[in-house]
Amino acid sequence: MLRYLIYFWYYFTIQFQQIVFYWIIGMAIGSLISVFYKEKINLLLASLNEKKLGLLGVIPASLLGIASPLCMYGTIPIAASFAEKGMREDWLAAFMMSSILLNPQLLFYTAALGKTALAIRFILCLLCGIAAGCAVRVFFKKKTFFNFSHLYTGNAAVNRDIDPNLFLRYLKNFLRNIKATALFFLAGIVLSALFQVFIPAEGFARLFGAQTGFAGRGFGLLMAASIGVPLYVCGGGTIPMLSHWLQNGMSYGEAAAFMITGPAAKITNLSALKIVLGIKHFLFYLLFSVIFALFNGFIIDLILV
């Protein structure tokens, strides 16, 4: 028993030292954007409504979704207020989809996994937002996709960054972010350390089927996409696990599938989305997310494996 505790502590401290810098800096950047640039991002999104970009508007809308530091419960009221002002639904879909998948904090966390994983996550989340906007445009051109009618849109979101002292305003936001994510961050490291102690590296290779042909990759992608649903609670908490998995058998395509289905099917996101989508459009959203994750994961593995 003592041996396992020593191994656990060793792996825990190694993972903690490798990732804690990215977590703290990610929190600092997220708070910086939330306090000083959140309103500018909202204004940029609102300004899209005045431009005649057509379907191409899904591109800047998806980029702004990634730049937004808000969680889904903050994004939905903003989207509702823009819908009330007549913004196109394909642009709203692009904004909300990319906002679900990625934010500035999580983007910086992902740097701990290396440049390849960072590039894959950013490009895929951007493309997923664009694809979501295009899908809404093609399949729901003559139908309403979102239903914000029962939401109060007079106030986009509760703003807690109101301290007149800018430094204190930033510090309070930073501490709130630390408080909201610290438990999940530590839980991710604990799970990663437990995996390293009790599941050998060859076990991960068999689990994900890395480099075992077409069938093996297909099974690995399905496994990665499936485990993303129960294990994905907080983005930062998954980084230690992904780091360990990538070192022990998981391919970049499988990691990509996990990084799409995890946040897309996160319980808190699903409960919020079901309110504004309704059951039919909600199922369409889930099907779209899974297909996008599996298809792009397979393409990435074809290119990189």
Side-chain angles (χ1 to χ4, degrees):
M1 183 65 180
L2 180 60
R3 183 183 63 172
Y4 288 124
L5 288 175
I6 293 172
Y7 284 157
F8 170 81
W9 181 248
Y10 171 77
Y11 289 127
F12 179 89
T13 53
I14 291 295
Q15 285 275 15
F16 184 84
Q17 291 170 5
Q18 289 176 341
I19 296 173
V20 66
F21 168 78
Y22 295 96
W23 175 60
I24 292 175
I25 298 299
M27 290 291 94
I29 292 173
S31 294
L32 183 71
I33 294 173
S34 183
V35 171
F36 298 106
Y37 297 101
K38 181 170 61 180
E39 291 302 321
K40 292 182 180 179
I41 292 172
N42 293 341
L43 289 174
L44 283 172
L45 184 62
S47 69
L48 287 179
N49 219 25
E50 302 171 3
K51 295 177 172 55
K52 298 180 180 180
L53 298 176
L55 188 58
L56 291 177
V58 298
I59 299 174
S62 185
L63 283 169
L64 289 173
I66 291 174
S68 173
L70 296 173
C71 68
M72 183 47 47
Y73 284 93
T75 299
I76 284 180
I78 289 175
S81 67
F82 288 138
E84 193 175 45
K85 296 172 184 175
M87 179 169 283
R88 293 168 54 124
E89 289 203 329
D90 50 352
W91 297 1
L92 288 175
F95 173 77
M96 291 181 65
M97 187 78 238
S98 60
S99 180
I100 289 171
L101 299 178
L102 193 58
N103 57 49
Q105 301 98 300
L106 184 54
L107 186 62
F108 198 90
Y109 295 159
T110 309
L113 302 177
K115 295 179 181 179
T116 302
L118 177 64
I120 286 173
R121 183 162 223 165
F122 176 77
I123 293 170
L124 274 193
C125 292
L126 174 63
L127 291 178
C128 192
I130 293 171
C134 292
V136 168
R137 179 64 176 172
V138 171
F139 296 107
F140 300 92
K141 187 174 183 179
K142 297 181 179 180
K143 301 177 183 178
T144 300
F145 188 72
F146 297 102
N147 180 16
F148 298 113
S149 60
H150 56 291
L151 295 180
Y152 173 67
T153 59
N155 184 14
V158 176
N159 185 8
R160 292 187 286 178
D161 300 315
I162 56 176
D163 196 295
N165 185 302
L166 290 180
F167 175 75
L168 289 178
R169 187 187 307 177
Y170 173 80
L171 182 61
K172 289 177 180 178
N173 187 285
F174 177 73
L175 292 175
R176 282 200 305 270
N177 279 337
I178 293 289
K179 182 179 179 181
T181 60
L183 181 62
F184 298 112
F185 172 72
L186 292 174
I189 298 178
V190 168
L191 285 173
S192 177
L194 289 173
F195 280 129
Q196 288 173 283
V197 171
F198 294 107
I199 302 179
E202 58 270 20
F204 278 97
R206 289 195 301 270
L207 175 65
F208 293 112
Q211 300 182 8
T212 56
F214 181 87
R217 289 180 196 164
F219 177 76
L221 285 169
L222 285 172
M223 283 296 300
S226 299
I227 63 175
V229 177
L231 288 182
Y232 202 104
V233 179
C234 173
T238 62
I239 298 301
M241 292 185 290
L242 280 170
S243 176
H244 175 55
W245 293 343
L246 283 168
Q247 294 171 20
N248 293 282
M250 177 180 258
S251 70
Y252 281 113
E254 291 159 355
F258 179 92
M259 290 188 288
I260 293 295
T261 59
K266 188 169 73 170
I267 297 300
T268 53
N269 285 343
L270 293 183
S271 57
L273 286 167
K274 190 173 181 296
I275 295 173
V276 299
L277 294 181
I279 187 62
K280 290 183 179 179
H281 295 174
F282 177 72
L283 292 175
F284 178 86
Y285 160 80
L286 290 177
L287 181 63
F288 166 83
S289 300
V290 171
I291 292 175
F292 183 91
L294 294 177
F295 175 79
N296 285 280
F298 185 77
I299 295 299
I300 289 170
D301 276 350
L302 283 181
I303 295 172
L304 297 182
V305 175

